[in-house]
Amino acid sequence: MNAVSMLRRWAAQEDFAAVREGCIDLDAGDSAVQVLRALAEVRLGDASLSRHLLDTLEREGLDSAAQIDLAAVHIALGEVTAASQLLERQLLNPQDIDASTRALLLARLASCRRREGRPAAAIALFEASLAQQPDIAVSLKLLQLYRESNQIDESIACLSKAQQFFEESKASWPQDLRVASARRLRATQLDIWLDRDEIAAAEHWLDYQRDQLDEEEWCRLLRDWARRLLTRDQHSQAEECLRSGLSQYPENLSLHAELATIAQVLGRTRQAVALLHRAIRIAEATNLPTDGYWTRLSNVALTISLPLARHAAELARDEFNRSNELKSSASTKRRLTTELALAAVEVEERQYEAAESRYRSVLAERPRWVPALEGLGHLCM
């Protein structure tokens, strides 16, 4: 497998960080590599760099596979018409496209039709793509369209085929792709049961999965189910689900945190505070970061105790600073989230100038970050 083929494989697996690094290591003068770099950048959130790469791209001589990759960049940038035109032109040259590439072309054209508001055409194209080559990501997109169109029987059949393909193929997949695909298939199974209002079947399956999965994966599955129940306003069932998980894993951090969310939704603020304190103690005992939980505690406590809210926000900032976290996008977000918690406390304390200064400092680093814009907007009002 040559380097460009490997990059395309990573792109198909949605490992765009690996695609970006691989492109950087290769010849920048290769137009096919430049297209894949543009795809990686836009999927990783840097649309401006992606557009720059397209603007400087030498398009003459791009083969069919590169043209199909170029269409994917346009789709990610929201330029559906340009993507559709590229893909339709490639359909006129079937002799230049193998079955695998044709499957990808059809799937990307299906994505265009979906964005154009043509679900029936999208379904037909996704089905044609899967007939050429099975693929988990394509199956899940088709499943979503079936569900949106209330084609429940088709959803069940498609999920069954996707699960079968996964079981037959997963041994040769990278670990990250195996885990991500298994999670998405399980989540889709829950969605279908919820669509059919088969709550008992879902709960029976969740009990079975407890013996098949480790603690982390099973508790993640419980949280997914609880969140789905919340969207149906089935708060008591969601709470019962999480408490059943805690009966099996009483020290599970994520279940305590999720229960705190439900308590907050139901207006049980003091219960939410107690659950977050419990989560913090568990995190400390297992040497896990606590700043995120202190931040949440600060936000919850705003309505019942400003001193507690300030104390929690300051602890969140101090805990993050002590963590010596390596600089990354995730760590920057954590640090700035603690700043937003402090700003929210300052608003409630009527320290408006200090709060505004803090919001603007955050926005200087992340100008389009919605939580900071919302906070400053409410303050201005």
Side-chain angles (χ1 to χ4, degrees), residues 144 147 152 184-197 224-225 228 232:
Q144 184 62 33
R147 291 180 56 236
I152 302 301
R184 293 174 71 183
L185 288 169
R186 289 194 292 265
T188 302
Q189 178 68 81
L190 292 176
D191 285 329
I192 290 175
W193 270 318
L194 202 55
D195 290 341
R196 293 165 64 93
D197 203 27
D224 284 349
W225 180 238
R228 283 162 169 78
R232 300 287 188 93

Side-chain angles (χ1 to χ4, degrees), residues 64-255:
S64 294
Q67 295 278 0
I68 294 168
D69 291 334
L70 181 57
V73 183
H74 285 300
I75 292 171
L77 288 169
E79 300 165 355
V80 178
T81 300
S84 184
Q85 290 172 349
L86 274 172
L87 294 168
E88 287 167 353
R89 281 201 295 270
Q90 295 310 308
L91 276 178
L92 300 177
N93 301 302
Q95 67 276 8
D96 297 333
I97 302 175
D98 59 24
S100 176
T101 305
R102 182 176 177 79
L104 184 60
L105 187 162
L106 292 168
R108 288 177 174 166
L109 190 54
S111 294
C112 290
R113 297 293 177 262
R114 183 177 186 181
R115 294 190 180 206
E116 291 166 353
R118 300 165 60 186
I123 286 173
L125 285 163
F126 278 134
E127 289 173 339
S129 175
L130 290 172
Q132 292 280 321
Q133 178 174 284
D135 182 273
I136 291 293
V138 174
S139 296
L140 291 169
K141 290 174 183 176
L142 178 57
L143 267 163
Q144 184 62 33
L145 279 170
Y146 281 147
R147 291 180 56 236
E148 290 172 0
S149 304
N150 202 32
Q151 299 181 48
I152 302 301
D153 290 341
E154 289 82 354
S155 298
I156 294 170
C158 185
L159 177 60
S160 178
K161 289 179 182 177
Q163 290 169 331
Q164 181 180 352
F165 171 65
F166 174 72
E167 293 300 329
E168 292 172 351
S169 309
K170 65 181 181 181
S172 62
W173 295 0
Q175 175 69 8
D176 288 351
L177 179 62
R178 248 194 335 266
V179 170
S181 297
R183 288 173 178 171
R184 293 174 71 183
L185 288 169
R186 289 194 292 265
T188 302
Q189 178 68 81
L190 292 176
D191 285 329
I192 290 175
W193 270 318
L194 202 55
D195 290 341
R196 293 165 64 93
D197 203 27
E198 295 181 352
I199 307 300
E203 291 174 346
H204 178 75
W205 180 74
L206 286 167
D207 287 341
Y208 170 76
Q209 291 297 318
R210 185 178 64 240
D211 297 327
Q212 311 302 312
L213 303 173
D214 62 24
E215 177 182 345
E216 179 186 357
E217 289 300 317
W218 187 66
C219 291
R220 173 190 285 269
L221 194 58
L222 281 188
R223 297 198 315 274
D224 284 349
W225 180 238
R227 289 169 184 173
R228 283 162 169 78
L229 291 171
L230 286 176
T231 65
R232 300 287 188 93
D233 292 328
Q234 295 176 299
H235 302 100
S236 59
Q237 295 93 325
E239 186 174 10
E240 182 181 348
C241 165
L242 296 172
R243 292 198 181 280
S244 71
L246 284 172
S247 70
Q248 299 294 322
Y249 299 108
E251 298 297 304
N252 187 271
L253 182 60
S254 64
L255 295 183

